Amino acid sequence: MLHIVTRRAALIAVLLAGIGITSTAPAQQPTSDPLPSWNDGTPKSAIIDFVGRVTRETSSDFVPAPERIATFDNDGTLWAEQPIYVQFAFAVDRVRALASKHPDWKRKPPFKAVIEGDPKALAAMGEKELLTIIAVTHANMTTDDFTRTVSDWITTAKHPRFDRLYTDLVYQPMVELLGYLRANAFKTFIVSGGGVEFMRPWSERVYGIPPEQVVGSSGVTKFQLRPDRKTLLWKEAKVEFIDDGPGKPVGINRFIGRRPIFAFGNSDGDLQMLQWTADGSRARFMGLVHHTDAEREWAYDRQSHVGKLDRALDEANARGWTVVDMKRDWRTVFQFEDATVGAR
Amino acid sequence: MLHIVTRRAALIAVLLAGIGITSTAPAQQPTSDPLPSWNDGTPKSAIIDFVGRVTRETSSDFVPAPERIATFDNDGTLWAEQPIYVQFAFAVDRVRALASKHPDWKRKPPFKAVIEGDPKALAAMGEKELLTIIAVTHANMTTDDFTRTVSDWITTAKHPRFDRLYTDLVYQPMVELLGYLRANAFKTFIVSGGGVEFMRPWSERVYGIPPEQVVGSSGVTKFQLRPDRKTLLWKEAKVEFIDDGPGKPVGINRFIGRRPIFAFGNSDGDLQMLQWTADGSRARFMGLVHHTDAEREWAYDRQSHVGKLDRALDEANARGWTVVDMKRDWRTVFQFEDATVGAR
């Protein structure tokens, strides 16, 4: 029996080696387009060139597979973030659902603004108001209950402009990019200012990124053992970690423990992640999504309440980072556009 | 060209499917022993039986590969922790190395005890003393400098009893177990009370566990951008998270975001991780290493300063968790024993 197993293992090893040879073969004309939703242009070329350089063993820029860490912001980089962050839309829906048990909320700020639902008032909320909303929508429950609530909401709630599930508003070019990187032995991570427990219930299904590769903001949780031996983790109404701005390299160090060689963001909240990546000693790629397409998505940057892109855009331009012009560089923004075309 | 690529892809897909069939084939006599350093007995049988049940697709206990999360304590579970935790031995060596610049330390507690090096005094240190030692050995430097210091130390410092590198004191049966689980598509994590940045520089080389799968205690770090655009993460002398006791399920939830189906510890500090695992809804395995071998390693449990095993042992016995009796169940403890035998 053993020799059969050994021969089979040898055969598999040869074929796996064959796969390795394919991915590290000398540069040649690509036989198929790994990024079909990207128009030809500088960003697409820069991505394909970078992946080629770090995966070819003969390249001076070669990076061994375990070091191929790629980090992506979520809101505005992997999916739409307008007119308010999706997680905030979730919180608004939760406040409205809970309002029947809290009749005083109709007159009481900040709940009043949430129940009435003025996007500008919501976007302009201060930290104190936000924390009050988070406390009633994200805390004082078990992690399992929160996960269930998110899972229910994300499979039913619709975006007001597109009347589509929020997970339909992921960017098709970025989903392709995640897959392309993984096919080249990159490990893809989300590094988001959003709540880690809000993203994990659906990140694997939607992005192919498992929960353990999602880094985000978090609240304090406490372990409890009940007298019947049942366990729970209780979500307290206290912020533990904000994974935004200078918190992103801190979060990357804490959760991943290696410096990325590839990072993509879209706002000033991603600047320090990009600076941290740019300061690595290996070949590295820094990218920004610039929202320039008011027709298919939104156009916003320096003045936006949500996803403000100002200092990071200046720094990207000054330092030669890749800036994706959504209108110019993406053939498709959302997958459902193609479905619509196909249905005509 | 395209059809060649497609045929090659199809061929590879068939062979990869073949690998899948191999690992999920009906139970049969194993063709080779996956755990040669384990003596036959209840723990070895329980491990092999569990892995068989969760990986066979026809089994009612089948668990899909992405959910096969296995968590291991480090000190006393994967490597020796006597007479003091290895990380504490590192701190002692650092204090001694730094003492030449701090002549007052020879007379000043707690540095005096550290420089004189009485194991009992070191093991009995209180939290305040420990934090003072950590502040001078683990903080007020960049994460990169700390990583370099650990990497240098771990490849040169020797354990006083065995005169061996500390990484020679990893348990060969547990290294085999980690590999056996990974060969069955488990994702293996360390979940340790030790410092995450102390383990990551060598965890991949020694255990095959990459940095991003190491969960541990951590201090506060702050991102800095210098005027020359160089970046750094500065380690402050503040504890951020203690990944021990009830902190272990909290850390698992924060870093991994899924409940383990397999967990191994050796002390009361692992009890809550085991309780959290035991309360899962799928098939699950809870294991404890009981240190019973004073000749090859150490014998200690309920009264030990380091690695106290008391409540967790009672609970393991009461609930039928697997307890490894090191003396009885491990044919080999350290790999160098075999080398010694071979050299005779």
Side-chain angles (χ1 to χ4, degrees), chain A residues 200 229 240 254 315, chain B residues 200 229 231 240 254 315:
Chain A
R200 282 174 168 162
R229 321 300 303 164
E240 175 185 78
R254 177 180 312 167
E315 189 149 337
Chain B
R200 281 174 169 162
R229 323 299 302 164
T231 57
E240 177 185 77
R254 179 182 309 165
E315 189 148 338

Side-chain angles (χ1 to χ4, degrees), chain A residues 1-2 5 8 11-12 15-16 18-19 21-22 28 31-32 66-67 69 143-144 187 189 196-197 200 204 210-214 218-223 225 229-233 240-241 246-247 249-250 252-259 272 275-276 279 315 319, chain B residues 1-2 5 8 11-12 15-16 18-19 21-22 28 31-32 66-67 69 143-144 187 189 196-197 200 204 210-214 218-223 225 229-233 240-241 246-247 249-250 252-259 272 275-276 279 315 319:
Chain A
M1 188 79 182
L2 186 64
V5 173
R8 179 181 213 143
L11 181 64
I12 290 167
L15 273 133
L16 289 174
I19 300 173
I21 288 164
T22 305
Q28 51 184 297
T31 52
S32 68
E67 305 280 336
I69 302 292
T143 52
D144 283 349
K187 206 162 179 178
F189 289 82
V196 69
E197 296 192 278
R200 282 174 168 162
E204 188 154 35
E212 60 271 23
Q213 288 164 221
V214 179
S218 55
V220 172
T221 61
K222 293 282 191 224
F223 176 79
L225 178 71
R229 321 300 303 164
K230 297 302 276 180
T231 57
L232 57 88
L233 286 170
E240 175 185 78
F241 176 57
V250 169
I252 288 168
N253 180 64
R254 177 180 312 167
F255 284 78
I256 307 176
R258 310 198 217 231
R259 199 186 290 246
Q272 288 84 358
Q275 289 170 333
W276 178 244
D279 191 32
E315 189 149 337
R319 302 178 74 183
Chain B
M1 190 76 183
L2 186 63
V5 173
R8 182 182 210 142
L11 182 64
I12 290 167
L15 273 133
L16 289 175
I19 300 173
I21 288 163
T22 305
Q28 51 185 296
T31 51
S32 68
E67 305 279 337
I69 302 292
T143 52
D144 284 349
K187 206 162 180 177
F189 289 81
V196 68
E197 297 192 279
R200 281 174 169 162
E204 188 155 34
E212 61 270 22
Q213 287 164 223
V214 180
S218 56
V220 172
T221 62
K222 294 281 192 222
F223 176 79
L225 179 71
R229 323 299 302 164
K230 296 303 273 181
T231 57
L232 58 87
L233 286 171
E240 177 185 77
F241 176 58
V250 169
I252 289 169
N253 180 63
R254 179 182 309 165
F255 284 79
I256 308 175
R258 309 198 218 229
R259 199 186 290 245
Q272 289 83 359
Q275 289 170 333
W276 179 243
D279 191 32
E315 189 148 338
R319 300 177 74 184

Side-chain angles (χ1 to χ4, degrees), chain B residues 83-84 88-89 91-93 95-96 105-106 110-123 125 160:
Chain B
I84 56 174
F88 201 20
V92 167
D93 282 359
V95 166
R96 288 178 182 160
W105 284 2
K106 278 181 196 158
F111 303 107
K112 181 174 182 290
V114 170
I115 293 165
E116 292 171 0
D118 172 13
K120 279 184 189 163
L122 293 175
M125 267 190 186

Side-chain angles (χ1 to χ4, degrees), chain A residues 2 17 20 35 59 108-109 118 129 134 136 165 170 172 179 204 225 241 268 285 289-290 294 320 327 332:
Chain A
L2 186 64
L35 300 172
S59 161
K108 192 172 161 185
D118 173 13
E129 287 78 19
I134 287 172
V136 301
L165 294 179
V170 303
Q172 179 61 18
E204 188 154 35
L225 178 71
F241 176 57
D268 285 0
F285 180 98
V289 175
H290 188 189
K327 187 169 182 172
T332 304

